[in-house]
Amino acid sequence: MSILGWYVVCCMGGMILITGANGNVGTELVRRLHSLRIDFRAAYHSTERAARARAAGIDSTVIDYADSGSLDDAMRGIEKLFLVCPAGPDLPAYEANAVNAAIRAGGVKQIVKCSVWDAETEAFTIARIHRQSEKTIEYSGIPFTHLRPNSYMQNFVNYFADPIRSYGVFQIPGRDSRCSFVDVRDVARVAATVLLSTDRLDRAYALSGPEALTYGQVALKLSNVLGRKISYRDIPDEEFRNVTASHGGSSWLADAMIELYHYTIAGHGADLSSSVQEILGQPPTSFDQFARDYIGAFRATKPRVSA
Ligand SMILES: NC(=O)c1ccc[n+]([C@@H]2O[C@H](COP(=O)([O-])OP(=O)(O)OC[C@H]3O[C@@H](n4cnc5c(N)ncnc54)[C@H](OP(=O)(O)O)[C@@H]3O)[C@@H](O)[C@H]2O)c1
């Protein structure tokens, strides 16, 4: 968007509410709108994080998707809503609570929902919960834009940076599947562009990166950037269940992720979407660029202890 375009948008007013403000996409979206001096409110789940953001000059509030009162407070004066909720069995009910609060608030003119890749197929549990929520939004009568990102490149930071740093390995029950991983920063840029425009209503966009990679190729790319060998270990589903449980993840999440891995192994995660290019006017971020930008997260900070 041109500088004049941003200026016009800024003058349009219209407060934006960003949920999941300390999450993957939310953090990047807050950063982007803050740097553009756009009028927005950041909704945190944690009181401490909201207080920290407030101290940094960001209009912040605390919400709990199970607490309609908190959602009503957060929606006051809102014209646009960025809706993101953790994947879980409660997602349809939680997001319905947010949609109902948006209806009660009266002035909400657009909901931009962070959905998931291939939600429309309803072929796996996470797709089904997201599609159920997309339908709730569609039936609400509020104009919507569904963003359907593929698996995030940043998952390698959030879930695998520790074993990569310590042992040079990441473990996934991914077999030799290929996935068109997308950079969270691109998802946030797309969300910002969509929130700040009026011409992408009642549409859904699949969001992918520029290439479909196997986990072996990901390991090679990380090795090249880090200058040391990083390996991918394909693990049995049962081992993934145990690892998830040992990190405090629910059995619902472990099963849903295994289902998603199987969907990807069947070849459904490798398609490339042109939406990032079309909406941003520039190609999506490559995995090589992502790895270079996040190199600090993967670098061993202390000498590894040999066995
Ligand atoms: N990760 C991926 O690769 C990926 C790809 C495509 C789509 N998605 C979808 O994106 C969504 C978000 O996933 P994510 O992994 O990126 O998570 P995330 O946005 O990084 O984290 C979820 C956010 O929701 C907040 N939250 C948690 N419980 C809440 C509650 N009861 N009320 C209000 N806010 C609450 C969390 O705050 P606290 O941290 O303070 O609790 C956090 O900011 C999921 O629905 C997922 O299916 C994820």
mmCIF file of all heavy atoms in Angstrom, residues 282-301:
data_model
loop_
_atom_site.group_PDB
_atom_site.id
_atom_site.type_symbol
_atom_site.label_atom_id
_atom_site.label_comp_id
_atom_site.label_asym_id
_atom_site.label_seq_id
_atom_site.Cartn_x
_atom_site.Cartn_y
_atom_site.Cartn_z
ATOM 1 N N GLN A 282 4.085 -8.678 -2.948
ATOM 2 C CA GLN A 282 5.460 -9.186 -2.890
ATOM 3 C C GLN A 282 5.417 -10.658 -2.517
ATOM 4 O O GLN A 282 4.453 -11.108 -1.882
ATOM 5 C CB GLN A 282 6.304 -8.399 -1.891
ATOM 6 C CG GLN A 282 5.769 -8.384 -0.473
ATOM 7 C CD GLN A 282 6.530 -7.406 0.408
ATOM 8 O OE1 GLN A 282 6.545 -6.199 0.149
ATOM 9 N NE2 GLN A 282 7.161 -7.922 1.437
ATOM 10 N N PRO A 283 6.454 -11.405 -2.919
ATOM 11 C CA PRO A 283 6.401 -12.851 -2.677
ATOM 12 C C PRO A 283 6.483 -13.180 -1.192
ATOM 13 O O PRO A 283 7.016 -12.394 -0.411
ATOM 14 C CB PRO A 283 7.634 -13.378 -3.419
ATOM 15 C CG PRO A 283 8.489 -12.206 -3.674
ATOM 16 C CD PRO A 283 7.660 -10.968 -3.605
ATOM 17 N N PRO A 284 5.963 -14.345 -0.808
ATOM 18 C CA PRO A 284 6.080 -14.754 0.591
ATOM 19 C C PRO A 284 7.523 -15.010 0.975
ATOM 20 O O PRO A 284 8.368 -15.295 0.125
ATOM 21 C CB PRO A 284 5.249 -16.043 0.658
ATOM 22 C CG PRO A 284 5.065 -16.504 -0.744
ATOM 23 C CD PRO A 284 5.216 -15.321 -1.633
ATOM 24 N N THR A 285 7.801 -14.895 2.256
ATOM 25 C CA THR A 285 9.151 -15.084 2.794
ATOM 26 C C THR A 285 9.598 -16.537 2.607
ATOM 27 O O THR A 285 8.839 -17.470 2.874
ATOM 28 C CB THR A 285 9.146 -14.743 4.305
ATOM 29 O OG1 THR A 285 8.615 -13.428 4.457
ATOM 30 C CG2 THR A 285 10.538 -14.817 4.908
ATOM 31 N N SER A 286 10.825 -16.706 2.160
ATOM 32 C CA SER A 286 11.355 -18.069 1.960
ATOM 33 C C SER A 286 11.812 -18.652 3.292
ATOM 34 O O SER A 286 12.091 -17.912 4.257
ATOM 35 C CB SER A 286 12.539 -18.027 1.000
ATOM 36 O OG SER A 286 13.625 -17.356 1.619
ATOM 37 N N PHE A 287 11.957 -19.979 3.329
ATOM 38 C CA PHE A 287 12.447 -20.610 4.564
ATOM 39 C C PHE A 287 13.883 -20.185 4.846
ATOM 40 O O PHE A 287 14.262 -19.997 6.003
ATOM 41 C CB PHE A 287 12.338 -22.149 4.483
ATOM 42 C CG PHE A 287 12.430 -22.793 5.842
ATOM 43 C CD1 PHE A 287 11.280 -23.074 6.560
ATOM 44 C CD2 PHE A 287 13.660 -23.053 6.421
ATOM 45 C CE1 PHE A 287 11.363 -23.624 7.840
ATOM 46 C CE2 PHE A 287 13.750 -23.602 7.697
ATOM 47 C CZ PHE A 287 12.600 -23.892 8.399
ATOM 48 N N ASP A 288 14.683 -20.016 3.785
ATOM 49 C CA ASP A 288 16.072 -19.570 3.985
ATOM 50 C C ASP A 288 16.107 -18.218 4.702
ATOM 51 O O ASP A 288 16.893 -18.009 5.629
ATOM 52 C CB ASP A 288 16.792 -19.451 2.638
ATOM 53 C CG ASP A 288 17.019 -20.812 2.007
ATOM 54 O OD1 ASP A 288 17.445 -21.724 2.724
ATOM 55 O OD2 ASP A 288 16.744 -20.965 0.798
ATOM 56 N N GLN A 289 15.236 -17.296 4.252
ATOM 57 C CA GLN A 289 15.198 -15.963 4.865
ATOM 58 C C GLN A 289 14.745 -16.063 6.320
ATOM 59 O O GLN A 289 15.319 -15.435 7.217
ATOM 60 C CB GLN A 289 14.246 -15.050 4.074
ATOM 61 C CG GLN A 289 14.241 -13.605 4.564
ATOM 62 C CD GLN A 289 15.615 -12.952 4.416
ATOM 63 O OE1 GLN A 289 16.205 -12.991 3.348
ATOM 64 N NE2 GLN A 289 16.138 -12.378 5.489
ATOM 65 N N PHE A 290 13.690 -16.874 6.540
ATOM 66 C CA PHE A 290 13.208 -17.095 7.906
ATOM 67 C C PHE A 290 14.356 -17.602 8.790
ATOM 68 O O PHE A 290 14.576 -17.105 9.896
ATOM 69 C CB PHE A 290 12.052 -18.104 7.903
ATOM 70 C CG PHE A 290 11.873 -18.830 9.206
ATOM 71 C CD1 PHE A 290 11.243 -18.210 10.282
ATOM 72 C CD2 PHE A 290 12.376 -20.121 9.378
ATOM 73 C CE1 PHE A 290 11.123 -18.872 11.510
ATOM 74 C CE2 PHE A 290 12.258 -20.778 10.588
ATOM 75 C CZ PHE A 290 11.626 -20.153 11.653
ATOM 76 N N ALA A 291 15.092 -18.620 8.297
ATOM 77 C CA ALA A 291 16.169 -19.222 9.101
ATOM 78 C C ALA A 291 17.249 -18.181 9.418
ATOM 79 O O ALA A 291 17.772 -18.136 10.535
ATOM 80 C CB ALA A 291 16.767 -20.421 8.363
ATOM 81 N N ARG A 292 17.565 -17.340 8.432
ATOM 82 C CA ARG A 292 18.583 -16.293 8.683
ATOM 83 C C ARG A 292 18.089 -15.300 9.734
ATOM 84 O O ARG A 292 18.821 -14.907 10.627
ATOM 85 C CB ARG A 292 18.922 -15.554 7.379
ATOM 86 C CG ARG A 292 19.858 -16.325 6.456
ATOM 87 C CD ARG A 292 20.414 -15.436 5.347
ATOM 88 N NE ARG A 292 19.387 -14.998 4.412
ATOM 89 C CZ ARG A 292 19.013 -15.702 3.340
ATOM 90 N NH1 ARG A 292 19.596 -16.852 3.059
ATOM 91 N NH2 ARG A 292 18.066 -15.252 2.522
ATOM 92 N N ASP A 293 16.803 -14.919 9.627
ATOM 93 C CA ASP A 293 16.258 -13.917 10.552
ATOM 94 C C ASP A 293 16.165 -14.432 11.988
ATOM 95 O O ASP A 293 16.220 -13.651 12.936
ATOM 96 C CB ASP A 293 14.862 -13.475 10.095
ATOM 97 C CG ASP A 293 14.916 -12.695 8.787
ATOM 98 O OD1 ASP A 293 16.025 -12.276 8.399
ATOM 99 O OD2 ASP A 293 13.847 -12.519 8.157
ATOM 100 N N TYR A 294 15.976 -15.749 12.142
ATOM 101 C CA TYR A 294 15.786 -16.319 13.486
ATOM 102 C C TYR A 294 17.009 -17.120 13.940
ATOM 103 O O TYR A 294 16.907 -17.917 14.863
ATOM 104 C CB TYR A 294 14.533 -17.212 13.515
ATOM 105 C CG TYR A 294 13.236 -16.418 13.488
ATOM 106 C CD1 TYR A 294 12.742 -15.900 12.299
ATOM 107 C CD2 TYR A 294 12.515 -16.176 14.660
ATOM 108 C CE1 TYR A 294 11.558 -15.168 12.263
ATOM 109 C CE2 TYR A 294 11.333 -15.449 14.637
ATOM 110 C CZ TYR A 294 10.860 -14.945 13.437
ATOM 111 O OH TYR A 294 9.695 -14.219 13.413
ATOM 112 N N ILE A 295 18.162 -16.863 13.319
ATOM 113 C CA ILE A 295 19.349 -17.680 13.593
ATOM 114 C C ILE A 295 19.690 -17.694 15.090
ATOM 115 O O ILE A 295 20.106 -18.714 15.640
ATOM 116 C CB ILE A 295 20.547 -17.186 12.741
ATOM 117 C CG1 ILE A 295 21.681 -18.184 12.813
ATOM 118 C CG2 ILE A 295 20.985 -15.808 13.119
ATOM 119 C CD1 ILE A 295 22.783 -17.914 11.804
ATOM 120 N N GLY A 296 19.450 -16.578 15.762
ATOM 121 C CA GLY A 296 19.776 -16.483 17.188
ATOM 122 C C GLY A 296 19.016 -17.497 18.030
ATOM 123 O O GLY A 296 19.538 -17.995 19.033
ATOM 124 N N ALA A 297 17.789 -17.811 17.621
ATOM 125 C CA ALA A 297 16.968 -18.749 18.401
ATOM 126 C C ALA A 297 17.507 -20.171 18.300
ATOM 127 O O ALA A 297 17.277 -20.984 19.192
ATOM 128 C CB ALA A 297 15.526 -18.716 17.903
ATOM 129 N N PHE A 298 18.228 -20.476 17.211
ATOM 130 C CA PHE A 298 18.694 -21.847 16.976
ATOM 131 C C PHE A 298 20.153 -22.055 17.382
ATOM 132 O O PHE A 298 20.644 -23.166 17.396
ATOM 133 C CB PHE A 298 18.559 -22.203 15.490
ATOM 134 C CG PHE A 298 17.141 -22.186 14.986
ATOM 135 C CD1 PHE A 298 16.731 -21.267 14.023
ATOM 136 C CD2 PHE A 298 16.207 -23.098 15.469
ATOM 137 C CE1 PHE A 298 15.423 -21.254 13.547
ATOM 138 C CE2 PHE A 298 14.896 -23.099 15.001
ATOM 139 C CZ PHE A 298 14.507 -22.172 14.041
ATOM 140 N N ARG A 299 20.858 -20.953 17.645
ATOM 141 C CA ARG A 299 22.288 -21.061 17.942
ATOM 142 C C ARG A 299 22.495 -21.605 19.336
ATOM 143 O O ARG A 299 21.844 -21.149 20.278
ATOM 144 C CB ARG A 299 22.942 -19.681 17.863
ATOM 145 C CG ARG A 299 23.475 -19.402 16.503
ATOM 146 C CD ARG A 299 24.649 -18.435 16.558
ATOM 147 N NE ARG A 299 25.188 -18.306 15.220
ATOM 148 C CZ ARG A 299 25.208 -17.167 14.527
ATOM 149 N NH1 ARG A 299 24.735 -16.064 15.049
ATOM 150 N NH2 ARG A 299 25.711 -17.134 13.328
ATOM 151 N N ALA A 300 23.414 -22.561 19.468
ATOM 152 C CA ALA A 300 23.740 -23.087 20.796
ATOM 153 C C ALA A 300 24.353 -21.964 21.608
ATOM 154 O O ALA A 300 25.309 -21.332 21.174
ATOM 155 C CB ALA A 300 24.702 -24.250 20.653
ATOM 156 N N THR A 301 23.758 -21.678 22.787
ATOM 157 C CA THR A 301 24.242 -20.555 23.591
ATOM 158 C C THR A 301 25.317 -20.997 24.570
ATOM 159 O O THR A 301 26.121 -20.219 25.018
ATOM 160 C CB THR A 301 23.081 -19.919 24.381
ATOM 161 O OG1 THR A 301 22.322 -20.961 24.972
ATOM 162 C CG2 THR A 301 22.221 -19.082 23.472
#
